[in-house]
Amino acid sequence: GQNIDQPTEMTATEGAIVQINCTYQTSGFNGLFWYQQHAGEAPTFLSYNVLDGLEEKGRFSSFLSRSKGYSYLLLKELQMKDSASYLCAVFDSNYQLIWGAGTKLIIKP
Amino acid sequence: SQTIHQWPATLVQPVGSPLSLECTVEGTSNPNLYWYRQAAGRGLQLLFYSVGIGQISSEVPQNLSASRPQDRQFILSSKKLLLSDSGFYLCAWSVLPGHGTGELFFGEGSRLTVL
């Protein structure tokens, strides 16, 4: 079966750095997405990785290793507004999007 | 620019009543359209997707149905709601993979409570 694993919940301090990991086992790979979802709202797109390496976008960076079936989302200079769930999703060989259950990130002052 | 809207935002329905959620996309043609459901604290479950008018693929057996009467309109329906239908329903659109990254753009969501 196809599966995406990410931690259920993480806690970090305002101003710090946090890394949210995602591992996947899918039938093929055509790209990996990270989405941010605030409580009660729809997910919004953060990043897309299809090649190995690091993609940086402001305070957020996303890393991919296809050989390891692994990605992480790195959030720097954490702000209270970063408190949200972070969803990892992978396109399989048929471009079906497989979703992780999400990581709830709690930011403390 | 492209926009997506879905409505209603919130609804409370009795068991056995019908349901209709509507979603429209503006600013793009022939989008892929999706209906997802998200139970509290859970991931996204794909219910239906459509690659064109009248073309609907169902991912899970249930008492829900979807229709795409126009290119940029996607409707989720039920004739008789069950308690288990409660959840947060999300409509989304994307371009065809290969024509972009294939990222999903979500509507605002519809929170359904079945009592």
Side-chain angles (χ1 to χ4, degrees):
Chain A
Q2 308 202 85
N3 192 52
I4 293 184
D5 291 313
Q6 47 180 135
T8 302
E9 186 174 298
M10 300 181 68
T11 302
T13 305
E14 189 177 15
I17 300 173
V18 70
Q19 178 175 311
I20 302 174
N21 295 326
C22 169
T23 58
Y24 61 89
Q25 301 88 35
T26 56
S27 303
F29 177 86
N30 277 306
L32 183 144
F33 298 87
W34 284 97
Y35 286 81
Q36 179 190 59
Q37 185 178 24
H38 285 101
E41 299 181 7
T44 55
F45 170 78
L46 286 178
S47 68
Y48 172 73
N49 295 72
V50 66
L51 300 176
D52 291 349
L54 188 67
E55 295 280 343
E56 297 186 79
K57 194 183 292 186
R59 293 189 298 115
F60 292 7
S61 303
S62 56
F63 172 83
L64 174 67
S65 169
R66 288 171 296 171
S67 63
K68 296 182 179 179
Y70 168 70
S71 172
Y72 67 73
L73 180 68
L74 190 71
L75 291 75
K76 303 176 183 176
E77 302 170 15
L78 286 170
Q79 302 175 9
M80 297 303 293
K81 67 178 182 179
D82 298 329
S83 291
S85 289
Y86 292 85
L87 310 177
C88 175
V90 171
F91 265 149
D92 69 8
S93 57
N94 295 318
Y95 286 97
Q96 297 297 310
L97 199 55
I98 313 302
W99 291 88
T103 299
K104 182 178 181 180
L105 177 63
I106 300 169
I107 309 297
K108 295 185 175 181
Chain B
S1 64
Q2 301 90 357
T3 59
I4 178 170
H5 299 289
Q6 66 175 101
W7 65 92
T10 307
L11 62 166
V12 180
Q13 296 283 104
V15 170
S17 64
L19 171 73
S20 181
L21 301 179
E22 189 165 342
C23 171
T24 60
V25 180
E26 297 177 358
T28 187
S29 297
N30 198 29
N32 286 354
L33 295 173
Y34 308 83
W35 278 111
Y36 281 92
R37 178 169 60 201
Q38 187 175 37
R42 303 286 294 275
L44 294 172
Q45 179 189 29
L46 180 62
L47 301 175
F48 300 95
Y49 70 92
S50 172
V51 298
I53 296 174
Q55 301 178 60
I56 309 294
S57 295
S58 174
E59 290 297 303
V60 292
Q62 65 229 323
N63 66 320
L64 300 172
S65 62
S67 62
R68 184 170 178 173
Q70 300 181 47
D71 181 43
R72 290 170 289 180
Q73 183 185 27
F74 206 23
I75 298 171
L76 182 70
S77 304
S78 175
K79 292 182 179 179
K80 288 186 177 181
L81 285 168
L82 306 173
L83 286 174
S84 58
D85 292 323
S86 294
F88 190 46
Y89 288 81
L90 290 158
C91 181
W93 75 272
S94 72
V95 297
L96 290 172
H99 292 253
T101 63
E103 70 194 75
L104 293 180
F105 300 91
F106 288 90
E108 304 92 336
S110 300
R111 186 163 303 282
L112 170 65
T113 303
V114 182
L115 301 175

